[in-house]
Amino acid sequence: MSGARLDLGGVTKHFRGLRAVHEVSFTVPAGAIHALIGPNGAGKTTIFNMIAGVYAPNGGVVRLDGKAISGLRPDLICDAGVGRTFQLVKPFKGLSVLENVTVGALHRKPRLAEAQESANAILARLGLYDRRHQLAESLTLPDRKRLEVARALATEPKLLLLDEVMAGLRPTEVDVMVGFLRELNQRSGLTILLIEHVMRAVMALAAEVVVVSYGEKIAEGTPQEISRHQAVLDVYLGEQEEL
Amino acid sequence: MTADFLLTLAQAIVNGLLTGMVYGLMALGLSVIFGVMRIVNFAHGEMMVVGMYLAWMGFEYLQVSPMLSLPVIAAIFFAAGYVLQRGLISPFIGRPEHQQFLLLLAVAILLVNASLAIAGPDSRGVQMESQFDSYELGPLVFDAVRLHAALAAIAIALLLWLFFTRTRTGKSIRAAADNNLAALVVGLDVRRLYAVTFGVGAACVGAAGALMITIIPVSPFLAVEYTLLAFVIVIVGGLGSMTGALLGGLLIGVSEAVAGLLLQPSLKSMFSFGLLILVLLLRPQGLLGKGPQ
Amino acid sequence: MSFIRRLAGNAPPRILWSLGVLLALLLLAPALLGKYWLSVLILILYFAYVGQAWNILMGFAGQLSLGHALYAGLGGYIAAGLYFHYGIGPWAGLFAAVAVAGVAGAIVGYLGFRFSLAGVYFALLTIAFAEFTRVAFDHWGWAGGSGGLFLKVEHATDIVNLRGGPVLFYYLILALAAGAFILCRALLRSRLGQYWLAIREDAEAAQAVGVPVLRCKMIAIVISAALTSLAGVWNAFYYNNLFPETAFAMGRSIEITLAPIIGGLGTLFGPIVGAVVLTGLGEAFTDLGDVLRIPGIKQIFYGLALLVIVAYRPAGVWPWLADKLGLKERQP
Ligand SMILES: Nc1ncnc2c1ncn2[C@@H]1O[C@H](COP(=O)(O)OP(=O)(O)OP(=O)(O)O)[C@@H](O)[C@H]1O
Ligand SMILES: [Mg+2]
C-alpha cells in the first residue's frame, strides 16, 4: 500500500436549492493526514459523499493522483483506491464481524480463504479479533466504529476517508485509535482525510486542517494556525468548547 | 356510427367512474394502512370478499339491503381490524417485509377459506328491486345501483377525510404516520393509533364490500383478484396517499371499462397491470404519492 | 475425490455422514416406498428445489420476488410448446426454456433495480409481470390459450422425451434438488455469494467496499429465474398439462416462497426443512379434510399452521432446529 494524492477543485453540491457545498477546493498530498472540520450541517459528509461517488458534484472535479474520479460509481471509486467509513455506521448487521471485513477484502483478493486471512489480520490490529464470530449487530457503538475502519481498510485503499470515527469513544479509546491511525499512516504511507469533532484527535493527527462552514471553505492551515484563526473562532463560538 | 360509438364510449366511462369510486374506497383502506404502518395488507381482497359475503347474508337471511347493513358491517370490520392489529399484526411492524407478507398471507388463507366453508364455492349475488332502475342524463344512463354505490363511497371518503382532518385521533394518526418517533416523544399512544388505523382501513374495505355486492356477485376465488386490483390502484395513485387511492380507483375503473369495450373483456386486467408496470418504472411514488421512502 | 473434498469444505463429519445416509436413502426410496409416499417425497423435493432457487434472490441477495411463477410458467410453456408443436425434446427444449426465463428475469431485474425499486415496490413489480404474462398467455394461440396445453400421457419410460411414470420424475427432481443445494453452497462460499449477503444487509455499504451492486443483483435474478424455469419444465412433463390460470398464478408464486421463508431465509437447509414441514402439514390436513368434509377446512388448518410458525419462529424452523441439534449453519 501507498498513499494517493487527493485534489478537490471547486466542488459544488446543491440539494434542491440548498447549497450544501459551494466551490470547495483543497489538496491532501500523498501520505498526509488532513482533517476536515466545521459545525454541524456545514457540508463535511456531503464532501465525503462526493469523493466516494455517492453523489456526483454539480460542479467542480475530484482527482485522485491526478485522475478525475468525480461522477464515477462508488464501487469504481473504491476500485480506484478510496476507502470510506460512514458517520452513521452501516455494518452488515446479519453477518459476523469477520464476514463484514471479508467482504471488503474480497475486492482485491477474490479467493475467499485469502480474503479471510487478510480480514483476520486487520481485525487483530483493530482489537476486534476476539469478536470475529459475533454478529455485527451485537457490537457496541465504539466497536461498530472500529468495524467501519476495518472494513474500509480491507479494501486496501490509497486514500482513507474517516467520518467521525472517534465520536462516542472514551478518551482512552480515542488515544488508541489515534495511535493506530498514526502507525497505519507511517507504516504504509496511506493518505488519510478525517472529519472529526474531537479536537484532541485532530490536533494529534492532522498536519493540516480544512474548515468549512455553510458549505464554503473558510480557512485552511496547521492545527495551531486554525485554532487562532478569527473566522474559525467566530463560527465555533459557543458551539464547540473543546477548541 | 361514430356518434354511436362515442356514446357507447361515454357510457362505458360513466360506468367505469361509478365502479371506480367503489374501487377507490376499497383501495383507500389499503393505502391508509400502508401510509401509517408501512404494512402491505396482503389480505385486503380477502377482507373485501368477507365484506361482500356479510352484506349478502344480511340480504339473504335478514332481508336487509346492503346499503343499510353497510354501517353495521363497517363497525364489525372496524372492531375486527382493531383486534387483529392489536393481537396479531402489532409485533410485526418494522419487521422484514417477508415476515409481514407471510403473516398476512396466513390471515388471507384463513379468511377466504372460512368464507368458503360457510358460504360454499358458488357465486352469490343480491337481487334488489332497484337493480333495473336507472337515471338518465341526456343520452347517458346511470344505473341506479352503481350510482348509489358511488355516492355512498364518496360520502364515506368524505367522512374519512373529516376524521383525519378534524378529530383529535385522526390528526394524531397523521402525526404518527409522518414521524413515528416524534409521536412517541410527545406521548401519543402509537399502539392504539395503529389499531385504530387498521380498524379504519378494514372498515373502508368492509364498506366497499357491502357496496360492491350490489354491483357484482361474490365468490371466494375473487379474493386474489381484489387484492391485486387494490395493489394496482394504490400504486398508480400513490401508496399512502388518500386522494391518490380515490384517483387510482377512478382511473382503473375507467380503464377497465374502456379496455373491456375496445379490446376483449378478458384483456382488461392486462391493461391494468401494464399501467402498474409503467407507473412503477416511471413514477414509483405513484401519481399523487410522496415517494417510496 | 478432491472435488468431493472441496465440496465438503469445512463441514463437520457428523453432518457429512448424515447427508450421505440421507442421500443413500433417497436414492433407494422408489424401492422402499409405496406410490403415495413417493408422490409426497416428489412434492417435498419439488418445493425444496424451487425454494432453493428463490432463496438465491431473496435469501442471499435480499430482493423479494412474489412473481416467480413467471419463470416456472415460461420454462414449462417453452419446453412443452417446443415438444408439442415441433417434437423438439425437453433436453434440447430446456435450453430455450432457461434462456427465455433468464431473459425475463433480466428484464424484470433491470427495470426494478435500475429504477431502484426496493422491498414491497419490487415485489409488486414482480407480481405485475407475472400477472401480465398470465393474461397474455390466456390469449396466445401457440400456447393453447386459456384452454391449456396438453402433452400426451405415455407410460413407457422414454428418457429422451421425458415420458414415463413417477419414478423417472422422482430421480429427476432429486437430481435437481441435490444439484441446487450443491450449487447454492458453492455460491455462498464464493465472492459473488458474499457480495450478495452484503447487498442484502446494506447495499450502500456494500457498494462503498467495491461491490458492483447492480451487476450482482442481476446475476442473482438471472440464476434464480433460470433454475426456477427448470422446475417449470419438470412440472410440465410430470403433469402433462399447463394452464395460464395455474402456471402463472399468484398462488404458484406464493407457493414457491413458502418453503424457504418457513424453513429459514438465506440458509442452505431452510428450503429443504421448510418443504418437509409444509408438505407434511399439507398432506396431514388433506387427510383431516377428507374426514371432516368441510370445504376449505384443509386450507384453514394450513393457514393456522403458517400463523403459528410465523408468530413463534419468524426466522424460520431450521435455525431453531439446528440450534436444538447442536449444529450451527454458519456461512464459511
Ligand atoms: N441527501 C440530502 N438531501 C438533502 N439535503 C441534504 C442531503 N444530505 C445532506 N443534506 C443537507 O446538506 C447540509 C450539509 O450536510 P452534511 O451532512 O454534509 O453536514 P456535516 O457537515 O456532515 O454535518 P454533521 O457534523 O452534522 O455531520 C445539511 O444542511 C444537510 O441537511
Ligand atoms: Mg456529517
Side-chain angles (χ1 to χ4, degrees), chain B residues 21 25 46 113 207 210 218 229:
Chain B
M21 272 319 299
L25 181 61
E46 283 73 10
N113 288 290
V218 60
L229 188 67

Side-chain angles (χ1 to χ4, degrees), chain B residues 191-209:
Chain B
R191 278 168 49 90
R192 189 183 73 87
L193 293 180
Y194 278 180
V196 171
T197 306
F198 206 91
V200 168
C204 281
V205 66

Side-chain angles (χ1 to χ4, degrees), chain C residues 58 75-76 79-80 88 107 120 165 169 171 186 196 221 243 252 270 297 307:
Chain C
M58 174 63 197
I88 300 173
I107 292 173
V120 170
F169 286 92
Y171 280 114
W196 283 337
I221 196 170
F243 301 93
R252 180 62 59 86
I297 195 75
L307 213 56

Side-chain angles (χ1 to χ4, degrees), chain A:
Chain A
M1 279 196 256
S2 63
R5 168 192 164 94
L6 173 73
D7 292 289
L8 268 68
V11 170
T12 297
K13 179 71 198 175
H14 296 201
F15 293 111
R16 288 207 188 117
L18 173 80
R19 231 174 50 172
V21 175
H22 189 66
E23 306 215 331
V24 168
S25 304
F26 62 84
T27 289
V28 186
I33 302 182
H34 283 194
L36 184 58
I37 68 169
N40 291 111
K44 305 179 295 290
T45 299
T46 304
I47 292 176
F48 267 26
N49 279 334
M50 282 188 283
I51 301 173
V54 176
Y55 308 130
N58 296 121
V61 63
V62 180
R63 292 178 195 280
L64 191 70
D65 269 346
K67 274 205 300 277
I69 56 167
S70 36
L72 292 181
R73 274 198 335 248
D75 50 308
L76 297 176
I77 289 184
C78 172
D79 204 41
V82 178
R84 64 92 47 103
T85 67
F86 291 93
Q87 177 179 1
L88 299 171
V89 290
K90 286 174 164 291
F92 304 130
K93 284 191 192 149
L95 305 187
S96 72
V97 169
L98 175 59
E99 283 168 326
N100 265 266
V101 182
T102 303
V103 169
L106 278 166
H107 185 60
R108 310 271 177 213
K109 299 193 169 69
R111 301 185 67 93
L112 192 60
E114 287 171 34
Q116 280 173 342
E117 200 177 308
S118 72
N120 272 325
I122 291 169
L123 285 173
R125 284 164 65 195
L126 275 155
L128 283 171
Y129 187 76
D130 294 339
R131 313 236 150 95
R132 68 190 182 284
H133 292 308
Q134 280 182 21
L135 287 186
E137 68 186 345
S138 70
L139 293 183
T140 58
L141 183 66
D143 280 341
R144 288 183 189 206
K145 296 250 167 187
R146 274 192 274 267
L147 180 62
E148 283 282 322
V149 178
R151 192 174 60 187
L153 274 182
T155 65
E156 299 181 14
K158 296 176 188 154
L159 165 69
L160 183 60
L161 305 174
L162 300 173
D163 198 345
E164 301 199 16
V165 290
M166 318 271 182
L169 299 196
R170 274 180 265 123
T172 50
E173 294 172 327
V174 168
D175 292 340
V176 173
M177 184 60 97
V178 164
F180 169 78
L181 292 176
R182 183 183 290 133
E183 195 234 29
L184 178 74
N185 167 261
Q186 276 165 3
R187 209 171 60 172
S188 62
L190 174 68
T191 312
I192 297 176
L193 177 62
L194 45 98
I195 295 176
E196 208 45 77
H197 283 302
V198 179
M199 286 306 145
R200 239 149 61 90
V202 173
M203 295 296 183
L205 280 170
E208 286 203 29
V209 180
V210 173
V211 190
V212 286
S213 174
Y214 291 108
E216 296 190 43
K217 185 171 91 174
I218 56 166
E220 186 173 19
T222 65
Q224 287 69 32
E225 287 164 9
I226 290 298
S227 60
R228 290 191 300 269
H229 199 289
Q230 192 52 49
V232 178
L233 293 178
D234 291 346
V235 163
Y236 271 88
L237 210 63
E239 189 178 330
Q240 198 89 37
E241 302 89 333
E242 288 159 89
L243 197 86

Side-chain angles (χ1 to χ4, degrees), chain B residues 97-99 109-110 113 117 266 281, chain C residues 115 119 139 265 295 299-300 314:
Chain B
E97 272 131 11
H98 67 270
Q99 290 182 14
I109 292 176
L110 289 176
N113 288 290
S266 55
L281 297 179
Chain C
F115 292 83
H139 295 267
L265 216 54
Q299 267 75 21
I300 290 179

Side-chain angles (χ1 to χ4, degrees), chain B residues 170-244:
Chain B
K171 287 189 211 166
S172 311
I173 288 177
R174 279 170 47 222
D178 287 341
N179 193 332
N180 195 338
L181 192 67
L184 274 175
V185 170
V186 298
L188 295 177
D189 180 355
V190 174
R191 278 168 49 90
R192 189 183 73 87
L193 293 180
Y194 278 180
V196 171
T197 306
F198 206 91
V200 168
C204 281
V205 66
L211 297 176
M212 193 57 101
I213 193 73
T214 64
I215 303 178
I216 234 171
V218 60
S219 96
F221 309 109
L222 288 178
V224 177
E225 277 180 42
Y226 281 122
T227 300
L228 290 173
L229 188 67
F231 286 171
V232 174
I233 291 170
V234 294
I235 291 287
V236 168
L239 203 39
S241 150
M242 286 183 55
T243 21

Side-chain angles (χ1 to χ4, degrees), chain B residues 34 38 40 42 88 92 95 97-103 105-107 109-110 113-114 116-118 120-121 224-225 227-228 231 234-235 239 264 266-271 273-274 276-277 280-282 284-285 291-293, chain C residues 54 58 64 66 111-112 115-129 131-132 134-136 138-139 250-251 254 257-258 261-262 265 294-297 299-304 306-307 309-311 314-315:
Chain B
F34 181 84
R38 302 275 123 183
V40 175
F42 276 93
L88 212 55
F92 283 80
R95 292 258 200 100
E97 272 131 11
H98 67 270
Q99 290 182 14
Q100 302 173 349
F101 156 69
L102 191 59
L103 175 74
L105 177 69
V107 172
I109 292 176
L110 289 176
N113 288 290
L116 184 66
I118 294 168
V224 177
E225 277 180 42
T227 300
L228 290 173
F231 286 171
V234 294
I235 291 287
L239 203 39
Q264 295 175 46
S266 55
L267 275 173
K268 66 185 187 186
S269 63
M270 194 162 152
F271 205 77
F273 285 109
L276 172 63
I277 293 172
L280 274 174
L281 297 179
L282 302 179
Q285 70 271 42
Q293 266 74 50
Chain C
W54 181 81
M58 174 63 197
L64 177 58
L66 295 180
L111 292 175
F115 292 83
S116 21
L117 290 183
V120 170
Y121 289 85
F122 179 70
L124 292 177
L125 183 75
T126 62
I127 295 179
F129 268 100
E131 285 293 313
F132 189 84
R134 176 177 67 80
V135 185
D138 259 340
H139 295 267
M250 185 150 157
I254 288 173
T257 71
L258 288 184
I261 298 184
I262 295 284
L265 216 54
I294 302 173
I297 195 75
Q299 267 75 21
I300 290 179
F301 281 114
Y302 197 77
L304 284 174
L306 288 188
L307 213 56
I309 295 175
V310 71

